[in-house]
């Protein structure tokens, strides 16, 4: 069951809270495609070329863009399609007023030592040098949220699909400055942190480090208070998972931590 809310500031505003299996998140395609127009498309491509020349990785992968939603027993998301390089290039021209509306997923994945947290490398186009929950990534058509979470867990952490269990959706948030809607998810793995760090993974270039946040109702707020480089979106996801685990009193005591 999901409910609409409005908690937090523009850098991590929770729009939906709830708890349901990932199969309760439904994508309804409009059949439309994001179109910048020829002139703006050319300028967006030039902006991406400059970023690549500066050492950042900007891919031309297909993406979903969220245009509307229905909240209730299921979370029904109305989406059209676009291209990641389009929206990255458009963000270089804020005077256009173009809203990226990218739909992505990020997961509070608990290993035996705690929630997995990654430091984003200087090569990534979004929030380099900051810390985020892992795994995370844009939904690439035709993949839904479940496929995305498992694919990102393998790419970023070297975890096989059978090693990621109890996957849930706990909410949806919006990062206004990035124009990204994030499906907040949670899951578990029995693979220990040290083994994860030692595993080969194709997405290792995205990371400058891995650590864990404590999966404990008393220790997690203390850890959050000492993690100034943690993305506000990561805080919001961890708090949404805390609501699911430890209830509304815990959440209301700490929800001011959403920046």
């Amino acid at each position: 069951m999901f409910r609409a809310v409005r908690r937090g500031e523009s850098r991590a505003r929770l729009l939906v809270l709830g708890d349901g299996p990932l199969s309760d998140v439904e994508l309804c395609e409009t059949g439309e495609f994001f179109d910048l127009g020829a002139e703006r498309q050319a300028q967006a491509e030039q902006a991406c070329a400059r970023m690549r020349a500066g050492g950042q990785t900007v891919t031309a992968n297909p993406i979903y863009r969220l245009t509307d939603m229905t909240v209730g027993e299921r979370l029904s998301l109305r989406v059209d399609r676009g291209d990641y390089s389009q929206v990255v290039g458009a963000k270089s021209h804020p005077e256009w007023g173009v809203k990226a509306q990218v739909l992505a997923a990020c997961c509070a994945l608990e290993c035996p030592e705690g929630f997995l947290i990654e430091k984003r490398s200087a090569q990534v186009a979004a929030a380099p040098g900051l810390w985020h929950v892992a795994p995370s990534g844009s939904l690439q058509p035709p993949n839904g949220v479940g496929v995305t979470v498992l694919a990102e867990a393998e790419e970023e952490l070297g975890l096989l699909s059978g090693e990621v269990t109890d996957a849930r959706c706990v909410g949806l948030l919006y990062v206004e400055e990035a124009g990204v809607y994030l499906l907040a998810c949670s899951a578990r793995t029995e693979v220990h942190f040290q083994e994860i760090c030692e595993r080969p993974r194709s997405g290792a270039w995205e990371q400058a480090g891995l650590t864990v946040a404590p999966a404990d109702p008393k220790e997690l707020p203390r850890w959050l208070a000492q993690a100034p480089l943690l993305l506000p979106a990561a805080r919001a996801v961890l708090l949404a998972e805390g609501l699911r685990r430890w209830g509304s009193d815990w959440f209301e005591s700490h929800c001011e931590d959403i920046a």
Side-chain angles (χ1 to χ4, degrees):
M1 181 69 182
F2 300 94
R3 59 188 174 90
V5 298
R6 191 176 178 84
R7 303 297 297 267
E9 301 297 332
S10 61
R11 291 188 293 162
R13 180 172 291 119
L14 281 163
L15 302 179
V16 176
L17 286 170
D19 179 23
L22 298 187
S23 58
D24 280 353
V25 180
E26 177 185 30
L27 301 184
C28 305
E29 291 203 49
T30 65
E32 298 177 0
F33 193 88
F34 182 48
D35 184 12
L36 285 172
E39 183 178 350
R40 286 183 173 180
Q41 179 66 33
Q43 293 180 57
E45 291 173 359
Q46 291 169 5
C48 290
R50 290 192 295 270
M51 294 175 72
R52 294 185 184 107
Q56 293 181 306
T57 300
V58 182
T59 58
N61 293 330
I63 56 166
Y64 282 126
R65 299 175 66 252
L66 180 61
T67 61
D68 201 0
M69 74 180 79
T70 302
V71 181
E73 290 291 336
R74 295 170 61 84
L75 181 55
S76 181
L77 305 177
R78 187 174 173 85
V79 295
D80 62 20
R81 294 194 181 197
D83 181 283
Y84 182 69
S85 61
Q86 276 183 311
V87 297
V88 171
K91 284 195 294 185
S92 298
H93 292 275
E95 70 277 9
W96 293 349
V98 173
K99 299 296 184 182
Q101 298 174 227
V102 176
L103 181 61
C106 56
C107 187
L109 178 57
E110 184 186 2
C111 71
E113 291 77 16
F115 296 115
L116 290 159
I117 308 290
E118 68 175 9
K119 184 177 183 181
R120 298 171 67 81
S121 77
Q123 288 181 258
V124 297
L130 299 182
W131 293 83
H132 196 20
V133 292
S136 64
S138 302
L139 273 65
Q140 297 184 16
N143 296 338
V145 59
V147 172
T148 298
V149 168
L150 293 178
E152 294 293 337
E154 182 173 2
E155 179 182 323
E156 297 180 12
L157 303 168
L159 295 172
L160 303 178
S161 60
E163 295 175 322
V164 178
T165 62
D166 301 329
R168 315 284 296 175
C169 179
V170 296
L172 176 75
L173 60 127
Y174 183 56
V175 182
E176 185 173 322
E177 61 185 355
V180 175
Y181 289 93
L182 283 168
L183 283 162
C185 305
S186 70
R188 295 178 183 271
T189 182
E190 296 303 316
V191 182
H192 284 269
F193 176 70
Q194 189 60 43
E195 181 178 344
I196 292 172
C197 291
E198 294 170 355
R199 285 193 178 187
R201 49 197 187 275
S202 62
W205 64 269
E206 299 180 51
Q207 299 168 352
L210 277 174
T211 188
V212 290
D216 177 89
K218 293 183 179 179
E219 294 301 321
L220 180 58
R222 295 171 186 165
W223 185 89
L224 291 172
Q226 298 171 3
L229 295 181
L230 187 69
L231 283 168
R235 294 176 186 272
V237 173
L238 291 169
L239 289 169
E241 172 62 359
L243 171 64
R244 185 184 76 86
R245 292 185 180 210
W246 305 312
S248 57
D249 287 346
W250 183 93
F251 176 79
E252 293 299 334
S253 296
H254 304 293
C255 65
E256 69 275 6
D257 291 335
I258 305 174

